[in-house]
Amino acid sequence: MNKLEKYLLYLTIFLVPVAFANLFSNFFDIPKLLVLALGVALTLLLVAVRTLLGGKLTIGLSNFDFPLLLLLVAYLVSAFIRSPNKMDAFFFPGTATVISASVLLYFLINLVGVNKKGLGIALFLSGTLTSVLYLLATAGILAKISFLPQFVKEPSFSTIGGLLPQALFLGILLPLGIALVLTEKEAIKKLFYAASLAVSSLALAVTVFNILPGKPNSPALPPYQTSWAVAIESLKVSPLLGMGPGNYLTAFSQFKPLSYNATPLWAVRFTTGTDFPLTALAEAGLLALAALVLVYWKVLKGLAEKLSGGFDYEKGLFASLVLSLVLLFIFPASIPLLVLTFVLLAANAKVHEVVIPLSAGGTVGSRLPAAILTLPVIVGLGLLGYWGGRAYFAEYQFRRAINFLVANDGKGAYDTLRETIRLNPYVDRYHTSYAQVNLALANGIAQNKDITDADRTTISQLIQQAIREGRATVTLNPQRSGNWETLARTYQSIMAFATGADNFAIQTYNQAVALDPTNPNLRIALGGVYYALGRYDDA
């Protein structure tokens, strides 16, 4: 079972950066989150069963344990207390789940006793596969394979989910790859590592070239001053816990400074800050920042020791860790980059094993201490598996609804969205889309030349349902300006024939403006409502 745990961790570490699927609305992040959560949960289940059967638990204590536990607590407490919609925190974007699963991955690596070289090889092979697929896409070879999805055929296709995250990921792996080549004794393996390093270096060079300023794939990042202002204003609301994981979009809308409108990106609402510390500060507050500072401090303390002597495999691992932490301080985090960082922390940790006996001799109740410890974990994982399965199946249905919309099949989209909401009624995106589909169907019927009484009844029902779904989005996350905007546009579209809709439109637009005060588009939309009512001074 211990071997199975190790191979499962290797497989998880290898698959997270390369996982993608067009089964969900987001082709990259949701599959990666699924692989990460599933890999960690299955390994934890195996550890629990092995502990129950063996009557003892062997844990690995290390120098990074306290700051990472503090980071885990910060994100979980902030998610439960501060995040208005728990689905944003734990499912998509799922920041709390990413951090929690990554921290648990770190502890499981130390607990299971995974080989440091095995960790490095799993990471390096994942980077090599990413590089090969990117080079094939850039060369146009993937575009010639007919059965591949269209997004895979794009020249900028990356399994990481973007060219900037790919450049960061491959750059961090360079010292590790060099260490593998220099320290490997077997000629065949050395040749393979050298070829892989060459491919990864070429992919890194091409990626960096394609994201230079002025290139079509050059990344758009929020200005540092804007991210700083958002973080500081978030601390004024909740110093210790921030605005809540997965809730950066709300913080950005509320707190971005007026100067942001003078930039070319003025119409863009960002879901992350310029770098990871500023994002963590806004989402999880000073508690998360304190944990990050402790991690950086402990790594910095070991820098002098690692600089002495010649270059070996452990120094390659440490160089990759330092590079990862430096890049996180400059650029936004992604799921592969966070997982890579936590795996490198585990690979550089100084582990001290402690055996905790959980049996009481050869009696019938000898496994009772182990059962008390492990059974709640097993039951908890079972419940998480059930609700997580429903959430992912709902996301799959949501993707099907999008496909129906692309195919101009309104009825198919309507029925599938209704099933999506039945499976998971707690995601505001689903209700927003359902409201828009209801309005589109009502508008389509209203365009008919000869409208029957039955058509009028159907139109009325669709409009009422659109309003209900718009209100549901506001109920699920009342702090998000976009949800109020959706409801306001719904009221605005029915002003001509629904008494009182104009007042509701004005009220909801005002609430949207209050939650995104420097957004000129919202004020223009509100002005349009006033103009339609003849209130020209207000307009």
Side-chain angles (χ1 to χ4, degrees):
M1 289 187 72
N2 183 247
K3 285 184 178 179
L4 185 59
E5 293 159 10
K6 290 179 181 179
Y7 287 124
L8 188 55
L9 288 174
Y10 287 141
L11 186 63
T12 302
I13 293 165
F14 171 78
L15 286 179
V16 167
V18 299
F20 64 92
N22 62 348
L23 299 176
F24 310 108
S25 58
N26 185 298
F27 299 160
F28 299 99
D29 288 347
I30 294 179
K32 294 181 194 309
L33 188 58
L34 175 61
V35 170
L36 175 61
L38 193 60
V40 169
L42 289 177
T43 307
L44 191 58
L45 180 63
L46 287 174
V47 170
V49 173
R50 177 166 59 89
T51 302
L52 180 61
L53 297 177
K56 65 177 181 179
L57 175 64
T58 303
I59 60 174
L61 302 177
S62 74
N63 49 325
F64 297 119
D65 287 358
F66 176 72
L68 293 186
L69 275 175
L70 183 62
L71 186 66
L72 176 64
V73 169
Y75 270 87
L76 287 180
V77 173
S78 180
F80 283 112
I81 294 178
R82 294 294 305 159
S83 292
N85 190 328
K86 303 302 180 279
M87 279 292 158
D88 288 344
F90 291 104
F91 179 58
F92 185 73
T95 312
T97 298
V98 173
I99 296 295
S100 302
S102 299
V103 172
L104 287 175
L105 181 65
Y106 163 87
F107 283 108
L108 285 171
I109 288 171
N110 292 338
L111 187 149
V112 171
V114 177
N115 181 270
K116 288 187 177 182
K117 188 163 187 180
L119 289 175
I121 292 172
L123 290 170
F124 188 61
L125 290 179
S126 185
T128 302
L129 180 57
T130 296
S131 302
V132 170
L133 291 175
Y134 174 65
L135 291 175
L136 291 176
T138 304
I141 296 175
L142 295 184
K144 297 177 181 178
I145 304 176
S146 58
F147 61 84
L148 290 178
Q150 184 57 41
F151 75 98
V152 178
K153 298 179 181 181
E154 297 294 328
S156 59
F157 169 73
S158 166
T159 63
I160 301 294
L163 294 191
L164 175 61
Q166 176 172 283
L168 300 178
F169 187 80
L170 296 179
I172 291 168
L173 289 178
L174 272 185
L176 175 59
I178 294 171
L180 282 171
V181 173
L182 294 179
T183 58
E184 183 55 56
K185 304 300 181 184
E186 295 184 32
I188 295 178
K189 289 184 179 179
K190 195 180 190 74
L191 181 62
F192 174 76
Y193 292 148
S196 298
L197 182 61
V199 170
S200 298
S201 300
L202 177 60
L204 175 60
V206 175
T207 304
V208 171
F209 176 78
N210 284 330
I211 62 174
L212 290 175
K215 296 289 182 180
N217 294 307
S218 179
L221 299 176
Y224 182 84
Q225 295 84 352
T226 300
S227 297
W228 174 260
V230 171
I232 296 303
E233 292 299 321
S234 298
L235 291 183
K236 292 178 182 179
V237 176
S238 176
L240 281 180
L241 300 176
M243 295 293 288
N247 207 35
Y248 190 87
L249 176 60
T250 298
F252 183 84
S253 298
Q254 288 187 31
F255 304 132
K256 64 183 187 293
L258 190 60
S259 59
Y260 177 71
N261 285 343
T263 70
L265 300 170
W266 65 272
V268 181
R269 295 170 175 173
F270 284 95
T271 58
T272 181
T274 308
D275 56 52
F276 180 61
L278 284 179
T279 306
L281 189 61
E283 288 192 331
L286 292 173
L287 209 57
L289 183 65
L292 291 176
V293 169
L294 286 174
V295 170
Y296 277 83
W297 172 248
K298 286 183 176 291
V299 172
L300 190 62
K301 282 175 63 178
L303 190 60
E305 176 188 340
K306 294 292 182 179
L307 288 175
S308 60
F311 187 79
D312 55 18
Y313 179 72
E314 288 200 358
K315 286 187 173 60
L317 278 174
F318 188 77
S320 287
L321 173 61
V322 171
L323 186 57
S324 176
L325 293 175
V326 169
L327 292 176
L328 278 176
F329 200 77
I330 302 172
F331 297 103
S334 61
I335 295 176
L337 186 54
L338 285 173
V339 171
L340 173 60
T341 303
F342 282 95
V343 172
L344 288 172
L345 281 170
N348 284 277
K350 298 175 181 177
V351 182
H352 170 62
E353 285 193 353
V354 176
V355 178
I356 303 174
L358 296 171
S359 61
T363 62
V364 175
S366 62
R367 295 292 182 268
L368 184 59
I372 292 173
L373 179 67
T374 58
L375 288 181
V377 174
I378 295 171
V379 172
L381 289 173
L383 292 173
L384 287 175
Y386 172 74
W387 290 110
R390 283 182 66 97
Y392 270 93
F393 189 61
E395 190 65 28
Y396 167 72
Q397 292 288 77
F398 184 59
R399 175 60 193 169
R400 288 185 64 229
I402 294 173
N403 291 338
F404 281 124
L405 286 174
V406 172
N408 203 25
D409 183 353
K411 186 180 184 305
Y414 178 89
D415 293 337
T416 311
L417 279 171
R418 187 169 59 182
E419 174 64 15
T420 302
I421 292 172
R422 187 191 68 80
L423 287 167
N424 188 357
Y426 307 109
V427 178
D428 51 8
R429 291 179 293 122
Y430 301 164
H431 293 278
T432 299
S433 299
Y434 197 35
Q436 292 169 346
V437 167
N438 276 278
L439 277 180
L441 290 174
N443 186 59
I445 296 173
Q447 299 301 318
N448 296 335
K449 291 182 179 179
D450 300 318
I451 300 178
T452 65
D453 290 338
D455 288 338
R456 291 189 179 90
T457 302
T458 302
I459 291 171
S460 176
Q461 290 173 347
L462 288 170
I463 289 173
Q464 289 173 12
Q465 196 155 281
I467 293 172
R468 280 199 302 270
E469 296 305 316
R471 287 174 176 169
T473 64
V474 169
T475 302
L476 287 170
N477 195 340
Q479 296 180 11
R480 185 152 295 169
S481 174
N483 292 348
W484 287 98
E485 182 184 359
T486 297
L487 182 57
R489 292 191 185 279
T490 303
Y491 284 127
Q492 185 179 11
S493 65
I494 61 172
M495 280 169 44
F497 51 88
T499 305
D502 50 356
N503 291 326
F504 284 123
I506 291 170
Q507 290 171 15
T508 47
Y509 266 127
N510 275 319
Q511 185 61 28
V513 169
L515 293 172
D516 194 354
T518 60
N519 186 341
N521 288 329
L522 288 176
R523 296 177 184 271
I524 291 171
L526 177 57
V529 174
Y530 283 131
Y531 188 86
L533 296 173
R535 296 168 58 176
Y536 302 120
D537 290 341
D538 292 328

